[in-house]
């Protein structure tokens, strides 16, 4: 199978990820448009230190899946973004990220930057 076996990992690889300014703005816009109850439910979850601020612990999935950063979309399929559970899927060359990253989610940007 050519898919990553993410189910059951419980966000194992969802640590601080780098984002571009465009991604920061998109995440901000989409979170603002999210129903308040959903957004606040996600914001106030208890996570292990180091886990991405957008990892949805309650549902075991990315809480911003449809607007997650490119690095998360490309993860597992490129030689510089290898999933250790299925390294054979990293058959593509370097991840095609052209824009400069402006910081890391969880470190440089936390929930207070997206309120
Ligand atoms: S990319 Fe790999 S480590 Fe990350 S959740 Fe999926 S299977 Fe697990
Ligand atoms: S944005 Fe989503 S996929 Fe990316 S690290 Fe955070 S929880 Fe994981």
């Amino acid at each position: 199978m050519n898919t990553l076996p993410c189910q059951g990992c419980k966000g194992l690889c969802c640590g601080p990820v780098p984002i571009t300014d465009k991604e920061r703005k998109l995440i901000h816009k989409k979170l603002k448009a999210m129903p308040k109850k959903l957004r606040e439910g996600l914001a106030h979850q208890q996570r292990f230190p180091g886990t991405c601020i957008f990892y949805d612990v309650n549902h075991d999935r990315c809480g911003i899946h449809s607007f997650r950063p490119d690095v998360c979309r490309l993860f597992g399929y490129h030689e510089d973004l290898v999933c250790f559970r299925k390294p054979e899927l990293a058959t593509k060359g370097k991840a095609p990220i052209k824009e400069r990253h402006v910081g890391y989610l969880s470190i440089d940007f936390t929930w207070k930057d997206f309120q």
Side-chain angles (χ1 to χ4, degrees):
M1 257 215 334
N2 283 343
T3 50
L4 292 162
C6 299
Q7 213 160 22
C9 272
K10 298 196 187 301
L12 194 61
C13 64
C14 288
V17 293
I19 55 169
T20 65
D21 200 45
K22 210 195 257 175
E23 289 169 339
R24 183 188 61 77
K25 287 180 180 145
L26 178 73
I27 294 170
H28 194 209
K29 188 174 140 198
K30 295 280 191 179
L31 282 173
K32 280 201 129 167
M34 199 184 254
K36 195 174 173 209
K37 207 172 156 197
L38 208 67
R39 186 177 63 238
E40 294 201 340
L42 187 62
H44 294 116
Q45 288 186 11
Q46 284 267 264
R47 299 177 179 85
F48 286 116
T51 298
C52 177
I53 54 169
F54 296 129
Y55 181 67
D56 185 340
V57 180
N58 297 346
H59 298 97
D60 187 16
R61 66 186 180 207
C62 173
I64 60 164
H65 193 258
S66 65
F67 49 97
R68 67 196 186 285
D70 275 354
V71 71
C72 306
R73 291 173 199 275
L74 299 165
F75 194 84
Y77 301 103
H78 292 268
E79 64 183 28
D80 49 345
L81 293 173
V82 181
C83 162
F84 69 90
R85 286 196 64 201
K86 210 156 182 188
E88 64 273 24
L89 289 188
T91 55
K92 299 179 182 172
K94 276 194 90 178
I97 294 175
K98 296 199 173 66
E99 278 188 53
R100 196 174 62 86
H101 290 128
V102 289
Y104 282 77
L105 284 181
S106 308
I107 297 173
D108 304 300
F109 305 108
T110 61
W111 268 98
K112 71 175 169 24
D113 297 296
F114 295 100
Q115 302 292 344

